[in-house]
Amino acid sequence: MFSSLEGTSVVVTGGSKGIGKGIARVFAREQARVLLVGRDEEAGRAAVDELAAGGGEVSFLAADISKATGCDRVAAVAAERNGGVDVLCANAGIFPQRLIREMSEEEIDEVLGTNLKGCMLLVRACLPALERSGHGRVILTSSITGPVTGFPGWSHYGASKAGQLGFMRTAAIELAQSGITVNAVLPGNIVTEGLDELGDEYTAEMAASIPMRRLGTPDEVGYAALFLASKEAGYITGQAIVVDGGQILPESLAALEA
Ligand code: NAP
């Protein structure tokens, strides 16, 4: 049995869609006070309506986490509405697919700026609140792509996701004495709005390459985040949990088909 997270202040960036919404849903069901962050107001409002129906206290803030001002606003609004930040889920991310030879400087900046710089700025902005919490938790949404695997078209994305883990390891050391843990979830292929854009063929090919023969759900990533946020996970820091239905395991096609 895990300790209750009722009333805990949880920030989920990218909480209006996909994996972030799954993470937010899992925390909201535990009666946490959840602040969803995204840029699109309409999607944010729809997510609040959907999640509030399942319990917990959910609200939305429109902010761009690739900018320091956006991240500062996240910390300020979490303090105003929910009394601080106990759990920071730095989940917002983008994954445009582009081969190296076609990549523009702007797109490299956008991917690294959102996925990597955004996550650093967010932790920096929320640090005072996490320290005040006394048991702050940072959970980064990285990916198997980059830290473990590669996929043509996602070199910038993979670099950003591997970079998050580099940041995590030093952040975990720097923040340990404040009682803050910093960990990551590494999703495989999860059914989300963002993934849908890659098309049915991509989804079918991915499902066939996963030992469990299906894509994951956003809530399944949420449960891993919930564990890392628990009081009971307080001695785990600087670690990464892969949530991928076994996708990274087969060492060959034969291993997958056996
Ligand atoms: P998604 O469905 O496209 O949702 C992305 C979320 O991030 C949206 O809520 C979006 O809201 C928000 N967002 C993007 N840029 C933002 C910015 N600059 N400021 C604030 N919010 C921003 O994506 P997803 O598939 O759920 O992916 C979520 C995270 O999981 C990403 O970090 C991704 O790299 C990672 N991941 C996904 C998969 C997968 O299979 N789906 C696998 C591994 C890792 P707005 O558009 O309204 O800003």
Side-chain angles (χ1 to χ4, degrees):
M1 236 354 234
F2 289 97
S3 306
S4 167
L5 287 173
E6 187 174 348
T8 299
S9 172
V10 181
V11 170
V12 186
T13 66
S16 52
K17 294 179 197 153
I19 291 177
K21 192 160 72 174
I23 294 173
R25 183 175 15 251
V26 166
F27 279 101
R29 274 197 214 118
E30 298 297 314
Q31 308 300 318
R33 301 160 93 182
V34 186
L35 178 65
L36 315 178
V37 181
R39 293 161 301 176
D40 175 356
E41 297 254 9
E42 204 178 315
R45 272 196 301 273
V48 168
D49 290 347
E50 182 186 329
L51 298 186
E57 224 179 283
V58 184
S59 67
F60 174 73
L61 168 69
D64 180 352
I65 57 84
S66 68
K67 306 272 185 300
T69 47
C71 294
D72 293 344
R73 181 125 178 79
V74 170
V77 170
E80 241 168 70
R81 288 189 200 163
N82 296 335
V85 181
D86 300 301
V87 180
L88 173 61
C89 299
N91 164 83
I94 54 171
F95 37 94
Q97 195 174 11
R98 194 91 48 210
L99 296 174
I100 296 165
R101 69 172 66 86
E102 291 159 5
M103 238 177 233
S104 67
E105 183 177 357
E106 287 71 26
E107 190 171 85
I108 295 172
D109 283 344
E110 197 189 352
V111 169
L112 294 176
T114 305
N115 299 357
L116 181 56
K117 188 182 88 175
C119 125
M120 294 182 202
L121 291 172
L122 196 67
V123 171
R124 188 185 71 171
C126 294
L127 195 48
L130 288 162
E131 281 170 342
R132 276 194 300 277
S133 160
H135 46 82
R137 297 278 189 273
V138 177
I139 298 146
L140 311 176
T141 304
S142 174
S143 175
I144 58 169
T145 310
V148 188
T149 63
F151 199 109
W154 279 308
S155 59
H156 50 2
Y157 173 76
S160 74
K161 293 287 153 181
Q164 286 183 313
L165 297 192
F167 169 72
M168 172 189 79
R169 294 192 181 99
T170 291
I173 299 170
E174 279 190 32
L175 308 188
Q177 289 193 12
S178 304
I180 300 168
T181 66
V182 188
N183 293 291
V185 288
L186 274 59
N189 281 269
I190 310 296
V191 181
T192 67
E193 288 86 333
L195 200 88
D196 277 351
E197 286 172 20
L198 301 173
D200 291 345
E201 199 183 328
Y202 172 88
T203 308
E205 276 172 15
M206 280 300 138
S209 73
I210 298 168
M212 288 189 183
R213 297 292 195 268
R214 68 170 178 87
L215 273 59
T217 67
D219 289 26
E220 286 173 318
V221 182
Y223 294 126
L226 185 69
F227 167 65
L228 291 169
S230 70
K231 179 171 168 248
E232 287 73 13
Y235 202 55
I236 300 174
T237 196
Q239 302 304 311
I241 298 182
V242 174
V243 186
D244 74 341
Q247 185 171 354
I248 62 170
L249 300 176
E251 62 181 37
S252 69
L253 216 49
L256 184 67
E257 285 163 0

